[in-house]
Amino acid sequence: MKRPSVHDCQLLGLPRIYDRGGNITPLHGGGELPFDIKRVYYLYDVQGGESRGGHAHKNLQQLIVAATGSFDLVLFDGKEKKTIQMNRPYQGVFIKPGIWRTLENFSSGSICLVLASDFYDETDYIRDYDDYLKYIDRL
Ligand code: TYD
C-alpha cells in the first residue's frame, strides 16, 4: 500500500436533490463512492463537545458525513494533520486506509453517518497511537 496523505482526504460535494420542500442525497457504491458499500453505521447521542474515534484502519475505506449537526474531523497521516469542519449533510469526506482520525467537538444532537467498504473487523483497527506511528513509517 502506498503511504496515504491527508491531502487525499477532501471535503466532497455530494448530490443534492431538492424535492417537495426537502433535500435528498443519494449515494451509490462505485458511483459517488470509490468502493462498494458493505456497512452503514451512524454515531448519535454523543454529548456536546465530546470526541470519538482515535484510530486508523489497515484496509477499510469510509465516507464520513455530518447528517445532522456538526463535528470536526481531525486527520493525521503520520506527518501532517488536517482538520475539516463537517456541518453539511451534502458534503462528505472520503478516508483512505492508514489515516488516523478523531472526531471532535460534536454539537449536541449531531449524527455522524459512515458508509464503509467492509464489515466490522476489530483486526482491521490500529487503536494504539505508537503502533500507528510504527505502522505508517513502514509504508
Ligand atoms: P469504534 O469504531 O471504536 O467507535 P469510535 O470510532 O466512534 O470510537 O467502535 C466502538 C465499539 O462499537 C467497538 O468496540 C465495537 C463496536 N462496533 C461494532 O460492533 N460494529 C461497528 O460497525 C462499529 C463501527 C463499532
Side-chain angles (χ1 to χ4, degrees):
M1 188 173 93
K2 192 174 152 272
R3 194 186 162 112
S5 162
V6 291
H7 297 292
D8 299 333
C9 303
Q10 307 288 354
L11 197 58
L12 306 170
L14 303 174
R16 188 159 43 144
I17 302 164
Y18 183 74
D19 182 71
R20 283 171 284 140
N23 290 313
I24 298 173
T25 291
L27 299 170
H28 306 86
E32 296 79 12
L33 306 187
F35 57 84
D36 282 332
I37 302 160
K38 275 206 184 161
R39 177 170 51 124
V40 173
Y41 65 91
Y42 39 100
L43 204 53
Y44 55 98
D45 285 350
V46 182
Q47 295 237 329
E50 264 309 318
S51 298
R52 299 284 311 210
H55 61 250
H57 285 280
K58 294 174 197 160
N59 293 304
L60 191 73
Q61 303 176 66
Q62 294 174 303
L63 183 88
I64 298 200
V65 177
T68 297
S70 64
F71 52 84
D72 295 336
L73 179 59
V74 183
L75 304 170
F76 180 62
D77 59 17
K79 287 189 176 137
E80 289 184 73
K81 191 174 160 181
K82 173 163 149 178
T83 300
I84 301 176
Q85 270 98 34
M86 310 278 310
N87 55 15
R88 300 275 185 265
Y90 52 85
Q91 293 176 336
V93 175
F94 173 59
I95 303 187
K96 287 191 164 188
I99 298 283
W100 184 270
R101 96 289 310 273
T102 314
L103 305 174
E104 298 181 356
N105 295 324
F106 276 85
S107 66
S108 59
S110 60
I111 298 177
C112 170
L113 175 67
V114 183
L115 309 183
S117 64
D118 216 335
F119 302 123
Y120 173 75
D121 175 8
E122 186 58 37
T123 66
D124 189 63
Y125 279 76
I126 307 169
R127 292 193 181 274
D128 182 85
Y129 188 68
D130 289 334
D131 287 348
Y132 171 71
L133 294 178
K134 283 182 210 144
Y135 175 85
I136 203 73
D137 269 349
R138 273 188 256 116
L139 291 183

